Amino acid sequence: MITWLLDNSFHTKTIKIVCDNRSCVDTLQDLHIQLTDLDKAEADLILDTRRKLSRFAHVTVEWVKGHQDDSIPYEDLPLE
């Protein structure tokens, strides 16, 4: 998705990316993560994504609760 946004010149727009995978969002936001803890393919993907995100003028990546949450019924999840 990020590559598509760049390829179609959306990097100058205000973009809010939401994801229900907290680990993914945390990994993209935490610049001090030890990439040595990951295998090379994972580290390469994260570094490429961070590099692409840095080309955006105004981008945020946020975590939202997903429907797979076992302890909260779907109907009680926030609308976002």
Side-chain angles (χ1 to χ4, degrees):
M1 176 186 68
I2 294 167
T3 300
W4 183 87
L5 289 169
L6 284 172
D7 290 348
N8 290 281
S9 300
F10 284 99
H11 62 284
T12 60
K13 307 286 185 190
T14 299
I15 303 287
K16 178 180 177 180
I17 299 170
V18 295
C19 179
D20 65 355
N21 184 321
R22 181 173 244 162
S23 178
C24 177
V25 172
D26 290 347
T27 300
L28 290 176
Q29 292 179 341
D30 183 5
L31 299 179
H32 304 295
I33 189 171
Q34 297 296 323
L35 295 180
T36 55
D37 294 339
L38 306 172
D39 65 34
K40 181 166 176 19
E42 290 173 325
D44 287 348
L45 185 60
I46 292 166
L47 290 173
D48 182 60
T49 303
R50 286 181 182 173
R51 181 181 52 79
K52 288 176 179 173
L53 284 173
S54 71
R55 295 179 54 197
F56 285 79
H58 306 284
V59 65
T60 57
V61 181
E62 298 179 15
W63 172 75
V64 294
K65 289 182 181 180
H67 66 277
Q68 76 277 8
D69 191 327
D70 292 333
S71 62
I72 302 173
Y74 177 79
E75 298 79 22
D76 294 339
L77 292 172
L79 182 58
E80 284 188 79

